[in-house]
Amino acid sequence: QVQLVESGGGLVQAGNSLRLSCAASGFTFSAYAMGWFRQVPGKEREFLVAISGSGGGTYYADSVRDRFTISRDKAKNAVALQTNSLKPEDTALYYCAASSVGVAGTSDYYDYWGQGTQVTVSS
């Protein structure tokens, strides 16, 4: 069955970095764009960044464009999110997701979702 498993979250001080990972299985990884989202309790899920199936195209939300970087590893069926210069407002549950329609900035276009990994940034 399809699985997306995030890891790498944790508690960090503001200004530091975390590298989040998402391991994918159960579907043809190269045929899906992969995205990262985050959500704070009581708020809507927020799109962060997506990468095409080939890895050749990316789409970033303006809020993270200068601090976050997405990458994918075809050999490992994995996608990573490097988060730098973290701020307290980056505290959220971070999800990876897979889209069969390509790079997209809204959650409606994503078919599969992981359970999330918590990132907490202290001031």
Side-chain angles (χ1 to χ4, degrees), residues 19-25 27-30 32 34 36 51-56 70-81:
R19 184 174 179 85
L20 309 183
S21 297
C22 173
S25 62
F27 61 99
T28 304
F29 185 65
S30 61
Y32 284 73
M34 298 297 296
W36 284 95
I51 188 167
S52 64
S54 68
I70 193 171
S71 60
R72 65 189 295 159
D73 186 329
K74 298 176 184 178
K76 296 182 178 179
N77 279 13
V79 62
L81 181 66

mmCIF file of all heavy atoms in Angstrom, residues 19-25 27-30 32 34 36 51-56 70-81:
data_model
loop_
_atom_site.group_PDB
_atom_site.id
_atom_site.type_symbol
_atom_site.label_atom_id
_atom_site.label_comp_id
_atom_site.label_asym_id
_atom_site.label_seq_id
_atom_site.Cartn_x
_atom_site.Cartn_y
_atom_site.Cartn_z
ATOM 1 N N ARG A 19 16.573 19.222 8.701
ATOM 2 C CA ARG A 19 16.367 18.572 7.409
ATOM 3 C C ARG A 19 15.285 17.521 7.583
ATOM 4 O O ARG A 19 15.481 16.533 8.297
ATOM 5 C CB ARG A 19 17.662 17.940 6.899
ATOM 6 C CG ARG A 19 17.532 17.334 5.500
ATOM 7 C CD ARG A 19 18.876 16.861 4.996
ATOM 8 N NE ARG A 19 18.810 16.258 3.669
ATOM 9 C CZ ARG A 19 18.848 16.935 2.536
ATOM 10 N NH1 ARG A 19 18.964 18.249 2.567
ATOM 11 N NH2 ARG A 19 18.792 16.304 1.379
ATOM 12 N N LEU A 20 14.175 17.757 6.954
ATOM 13 C CA LEU A 20 13.062 16.822 7.010
ATOM 14 C C LEU A 20 13.148 15.856 5.835
ATOM 15 O O LEU A 20 13.544 16.233 4.737
ATOM 16 C CB LEU A 20 11.725 17.576 6.957
ATOM 17 C CG LEU A 20 11.555 18.723 7.941
ATOM 18 C CD1 LEU A 20 10.161 19.325 7.821
ATOM 19 C CD2 LEU A 20 11.825 18.279 9.360
ATOM 20 N N SER A 21 12.771 14.623 6.091
ATOM 21 C CA SER A 21 12.789 13.596 5.044
ATOM 22 C C SER A 21 11.428 12.939 4.928
ATOM 23 O O SER A 21 10.669 12.887 5.903
ATOM 24 C CB SER A 21 13.839 12.535 5.353
ATOM 25 O OG SER A 21 15.137 13.083 5.367
ATOM 26 N N CYS A 22 11.162 12.442 3.740
ATOM 27 C CA CYS A 22 9.905 11.738 3.496
ATOM 28 C C CYS A 22 10.225 10.511 2.644
ATOM 29 O O CYS A 22 10.701 10.659 1.502
ATOM 30 C CB CYS A 22 8.922 12.644 2.787
ATOM 31 S SG CYS A 22 7.384 11.840 2.255
ATOM 32 N N ALA A 23 9.980 9.340 3.169
ATOM 33 C CA ALA A 23 10.212 8.092 2.446
ATOM 34 C C ALA A 23 8.906 7.626 1.819
ATOM 35 O O ALA A 23 7.890 7.504 2.517
ATOM 36 C CB ALA A 23 10.748 7.030 3.391
ATOM 37 N N ALA A 24 8.949 7.372 0.524
ATOM 38 C CA ALA A 24 7.741 6.996 -0.216
ATOM 39 C C ALA A 24 7.801 5.543 -0.662
ATOM 40 O O ALA A 24 8.868 5.046 -1.025
ATOM 41 C CB ALA A 24 7.582 7.895 -1.437
ATOM 42 N N SER A 25 6.664 4.882 -0.661
ATOM 43 C CA SER A 25 6.572 3.511 -1.142
ATOM 44 C C SER A 25 5.147 3.218 -1.579
ATOM 45 O O SER A 25 4.207 3.906 -1.193
ATOM 46 C CB SER A 25 7.013 2.524 -0.060
ATOM 47 O OG SER A 25 6.175 2.617 1.072
ATOM 48 N N PHE A 27 3.900 3.297 -4.704
ATOM 49 C CA PHE A 27 3.473 3.926 -5.954
ATOM 50 C C PHE A 27 4.710 4.266 -6.771
ATOM 51 O O PHE A 27 5.836 4.201 -6.273
ATOM 52 C CB PHE A 27 2.629 5.177 -5.697
ATOM 53 C CG PHE A 27 3.325 6.282 -4.949
ATOM 54 C CD1 PHE A 27 3.863 7.373 -5.620
ATOM 55 C CD2 PHE A 27 3.427 6.250 -3.563
ATOM 56 C CE1 PHE A 27 4.492 8.402 -4.929
ATOM 57 C CE2 PHE A 27 4.049 7.267 -2.863
ATOM 58 C CZ PHE A 27 4.594 8.348 -3.553
ATOM 59 N N THR A 28 4.491 4.604 -8.040
ATOM 60 C CA THR A 28 5.610 4.923 -8.934
ATOM 61 C C THR A 28 6.105 6.324 -8.616
ATOM 62 O O THR A 28 5.540 7.318 -9.075
ATOM 63 C CB THR A 28 5.163 4.815 -10.399
ATOM 64 O OG1 THR A 28 4.615 3.502 -10.637
ATOM 65 C CG2 THR A 28 6.352 5.042 -11.334
ATOM 66 N N PHE A 29 7.155 6.384 -7.846
ATOM 67 C CA PHE A 29 7.618 7.648 -7.275
ATOM 68 C C PHE A 29 7.883 8.699 -8.352
ATOM 69 O O PHE A 29 7.511 9.861 -8.205
ATOM 70 C CB PHE A 29 8.877 7.378 -6.453
ATOM 71 C CG PHE A 29 9.409 8.560 -5.714
ATOM 72 C CD1 PHE A 29 8.678 9.160 -4.694
ATOM 73 C CD2 PHE A 29 10.667 9.077 -6.014
ATOM 74 C CE1 PHE A 29 9.165 10.242 -4.004
ATOM 75 C CE2 PHE A 29 11.169 10.162 -5.330
ATOM 76 C CZ PHE A 29 10.427 10.742 -4.315
ATOM 77 N N SER A 30 8.511 8.302 -9.436
ATOM 78 C CA SER A 30 8.906 9.272 -10.471
ATOM 79 C C SER A 30 7.711 9.862 -11.215
ATOM 80 O O SER A 30 7.844 10.868 -11.905
ATOM 81 C CB SER A 30 9.859 8.617 -11.465
ATOM 82 O OG SER A 30 9.219 7.524 -12.108
ATOM 83 N N TYR A 32 5.053 11.055 -9.786
ATOM 84 C CA TYR A 32 4.344 11.964 -8.891
ATOM 85 C C TYR A 32 5.211 13.161 -8.527
ATOM 86 O O TYR A 32 6.395 13.000 -8.179
ATOM 87 C CB TYR A 32 3.933 11.245 -7.605
ATOM 88 C CG TYR A 32 2.744 10.337 -7.768
ATOM 89 C CD1 TYR A 32 2.877 9.128 -8.437
ATOM 90 C CD2 TYR A 32 1.506 10.681 -7.247
ATOM 91 C CE1 TYR A 32 1.790 8.286 -8.600
ATOM 92 C CE2 TYR A 32 0.413 9.849 -7.405
ATOM 93 C CZ TYR A 32 0.564 8.657 -8.077
ATOM 94 O OH TYR A 32 -0.520 7.830 -8.228
ATOM 95 N N MET A 34 6.020 15.863 -5.707
ATOM 96 C CA MET A 34 6.008 15.775 -4.259
ATOM 97 C C MET A 34 5.971 17.173 -3.661
ATOM 98 O O MET A 34 6.656 18.086 -4.149
ATOM 99 C CB MET A 34 7.251 15.037 -3.757
ATOM 100 C CG MET A 34 7.355 13.602 -4.249
ATOM 101 S SD MET A 34 6.017 12.554 -3.688
ATOM 102 C CE MET A 34 6.309 12.565 -1.912
ATOM 103 N N TRP A 36 5.539 19.672 0.106
ATOM 104 C CA TRP A 36 5.577 19.810 1.564
ATOM 105 C C TRP A 36 4.560 20.873 1.979
ATOM 106 O O TRP A 36 4.468 21.939 1.350
ATOM 107 C CB TRP A 36 6.968 20.222 2.038
ATOM 108 C CG TRP A 36 7.973 19.126 2.037
ATOM 109 C CD1 TRP A 36 8.867 18.833 1.048
ATOM 110 C CD2 TRP A 36 8.206 18.164 3.081
ATOM 111 N NE1 TRP A 36 9.630 17.747 1.413
ATOM 112 C CE2 TRP A 36 9.262 17.324 2.648
ATOM 113 C CE3 TRP A 36 7.643 17.942 4.333
ATOM 114 C CZ2 TRP A 36 9.750 16.274 3.418
ATOM 115 C CZ3 TRP A 36 8.121 16.897 5.111
ATOM 116 C CH2 TRP A 36 9.160 16.078 4.650
ATOM 117 N N ILE A 51 7.998 19.757 -5.894
ATOM 118 C CA ILE A 51 9.008 19.414 -6.887
ATOM 119 C C ILE A 51 8.399 18.425 -7.867
ATOM 120 O O ILE A 51 7.636 17.525 -7.477
ATOM 121 C CB ILE A 51 10.268 18.843 -6.200
ATOM 122 C CG1 ILE A 51 11.403 18.660 -7.208
ATOM 123 C CG2 ILE A 51 9.968 17.556 -5.448
ATOM 124 C CD1 ILE A 51 12.764 18.407 -6.535
ATOM 125 N N SER A 52 8.728 18.576 -9.130
ATOM 126 C CA SER A 52 8.159 17.722 -10.160
ATOM 127 C C SER A 52 8.692 16.297 -10.062
ATOM 128 O O SER A 52 9.674 16.028 -9.374
ATOM 129 C CB SER A 52 8.486 18.290 -11.539
ATOM 130 O OG SER A 52 9.886 18.264 -11.751
ATOM 131 N N GLY A 53 8.039 15.394 -10.776
ATOM 132 C CA GLY A 53 8.444 13.997 -10.755
ATOM 133 C C GLY A 53 9.876 13.785 -11.219
ATOM 134 O O GLY A 53 10.584 12.917 -10.703
ATOM 135 N N SER A 54 10.288 14.578 -12.180
ATOM 136 C CA SER A 54 11.653 14.474 -12.695
ATOM 137 C C SER A 54 12.664 15.158 -11.808
ATOM 138 O O SER A 54 13.868 14.935 -11.917
ATOM 139 C CB SER A 54 11.727 15.090 -14.096
ATOM 140 O OG SER A 54 11.532 16.489 -14.014
ATOM 141 N N GLY A 55 12.178 16.016 -10.930
ATOM 142 C CA GLY A 55 13.068 16.807 -10.088
ATOM 143 C C GLY A 55 13.539 18.076 -10.752
ATOM 144 O O GLY A 55 14.260 18.866 -10.137
ATOM 145 N N GLY A 56 13.107 18.300 -11.993
ATOM 146 C CA GLY A 56 13.607 19.451 -12.731
ATOM 147 C C GLY A 56 12.853 20.742 -12.491
ATOM 148 O O GLY A 56 13.305 21.810 -12.906
ATOM 149 N N ILE A 70 13.814 22.185 -1.391
ATOM 150 C CA ILE A 70 13.312 20.823 -1.594
ATOM 151 C C ILE A 70 14.223 20.072 -2.539
ATOM 152 O O ILE A 70 14.835 20.671 -3.441
ATOM 153 C CB ILE A 70 11.865 20.855 -2.151
ATOM 154 C CG1 ILE A 70 11.223 19.462 -2.071
ATOM 155 C CG2 ILE A 70 11.830 21.405 -3.576
ATOM 156 C CD1 ILE A 70 9.728 19.458 -2.410
ATOM 157 N N SER A 71 14.338 18.771 -2.324
ATOM 158 C CA SER A 71 15.095 17.917 -3.225
ATOM 159 C C SER A 71 14.475 16.524 -3.200
ATOM 160 O O SER A 71 13.756 16.184 -2.266
ATOM 161 C CB SER A 71 16.568 17.862 -2.811
ATOM 162 O OG SER A 71 16.685 17.336 -1.499
ATOM 163 N N ARG A 72 14.764 15.746 -4.231
ATOM 164 C CA ARG A 72 14.261 14.376 -4.246
ATOM 165 C C ARG A 72 15.364 13.431 -4.692
ATOM 166 O O ARG A 72 16.232 13.813 -5.498
ATOM 167 C CB ARG A 72 13.022 14.235 -5.109
ATOM 168 C CG ARG A 72 13.158 14.462 -6.572
ATOM 169 C CD ARG A 72 11.774 14.502 -7.252
ATOM 170 N NE ARG A 72 11.073 13.232 -7.172
ATOM 171 C CZ ARG A 72 9.753 13.105 -7.311
ATOM 172 N NH1 ARG A 72 8.994 14.179 -7.506
ATOM 173 N NH2 ARG A 72 9.176 11.917 -7.250
ATOM 174 N N ASP A 73 15.333 12.227 -4.171
ATOM 175 C CA ASP A 73 16.329 11.205 -4.455
ATOM 176 C C ASP A 73 15.610 10.044 -5.113
ATOM 177 O O ASP A 73 14.891 9.285 -4.454
ATOM 178 C CB ASP A 73 17.007 10.782 -3.150
ATOM 179 C CG ASP A 73 18.163 9.831 -3.368
ATOM 180 O OD1 ASP A 73 18.127 9.049 -4.336
ATOM 181 O OD2 ASP A 73 19.086 9.841 -2.547
ATOM 182 N N LYS A 74 15.812 9.887 -6.413
ATOM 183 C CA LYS A 74 15.102 8.851 -7.156
ATOM 184 C C LYS A 74 15.495 7.459 -6.689
ATOM 185 O O LYS A 74 14.680 6.548 -6.637
ATOM 186 C CB LYS A 74 15.383 8.998 -8.642
ATOM 187 C CG LYS A 74 14.919 10.301 -9.237
ATOM 188 C CD LYS A 74 15.324 10.402 -10.702
ATOM 189 C CE LYS A 74 14.943 11.750 -11.273
ATOM 190 N NZ LYS A 74 15.366 11.888 -12.694
ATOM 191 N N ALA A 75 16.758 7.288 -6.354
ATOM 192 C CA ALA A 75 17.251 5.966 -5.961
ATOM 193 C C ALA A 75 16.639 5.510 -4.643
ATOM 194 O O ALA A 75 16.424 4.319 -4.429
ATOM 195 C CB ALA A 75 18.763 5.981 -5.856
ATOM 196 N N LYS A 76 16.350 6.479 -3.771
ATOM 197 C CA LYS A 76 15.832 6.141 -2.446
ATOM 198 C C LYS A 76 14.328 6.344 -2.329
ATOM 199 O O LYS A 76 13.746 6.084 -1.271
ATOM 200 C CB LYS A 76 16.541 6.974 -1.385
ATOM 201 C CG LYS A 76 18.023 6.689 -1.263
ATOM 202 C CD LYS A 76 18.656 7.518 -0.150
ATOM 203 C CE LYS A 76 20.130 7.194 -0.007
ATOM 204 N NZ LYS A 76 20.773 8.007 1.073
ATOM 205 N N ASN A 77 13.696 6.813 -3.409
ATOM 206 C CA ASN A 77 12.268 7.145 -3.339
ATOM 207 C C ASN A 77 11.982 8.052 -2.143
ATOM 208 O O ASN A 77 11.118 7.758 -1.294
ATOM 209 C CB ASN A 77 11.406 5.886 -3.253
ATOM 210 C CG ASN A 77 11.172 5.238 -4.601
ATOM 211 O OD1 ASN A 77 11.836 5.587 -5.583
ATOM 212 N ND2 ASN A 77 10.267 4.298 -4.659
ATOM 213 N N ALA A 78 12.716 9.130 -2.094
ATOM 214 C CA ALA A 78 12.594 10.024 -0.949
ATOM 215 C C ALA A 78 12.647 11.476 -1.392
ATOM 216 O O ALA A 78 13.224 11.801 -2.435
ATOM 217 C CB ALA A 78 13.702 9.743 0.058
ATOM 218 N N VAL A 79 12.045 12.301 -0.593
ATOM 219 C CA VAL A 79 12.092 13.735 -0.805
ATOM 220 C C VAL A 79 12.500 14.396 0.511
ATOM 221 O O VAL A 79 12.143 13.911 1.589
ATOM 222 C CB VAL A 79 10.736 14.278 -1.318
ATOM 223 C CG1 VAL A 79 9.636 14.035 -0.316
ATOM 224 C CG2 VAL A 79 10.831 15.733 -1.689
ATOM 225 N N ALA A 80 13.272 15.445 0.392
ATOM 226 C CA ALA A 80 13.771 16.121 1.586
ATOM 227 C C ALA A 80 13.392 17.601 1.554
ATOM 228 O O ALA A 80 13.183 18.177 0.481
ATOM 229 C CB ALA A 80 15.288 15.972 1.680
ATOM 230 N N LEU A 81 13.326 18.173 2.730
ATOM 231 C CA LEU A 81 13.101 19.604 2.865
ATOM 232 C C LEU A 81 14.132 20.155 3.833
ATOM 233 O O LEU A 81 14.110 19.823 5.023
ATOM 234 C CB LEU A 81 11.691 19.899 3.386
ATOM 235 C CG LEU A 81 11.351 21.379 3.526
ATOM 236 C CD1 LEU A 81 11.303 22.053 2.153
ATOM 237 C CD2 LEU A 81 10.028 21.581 4.259
#
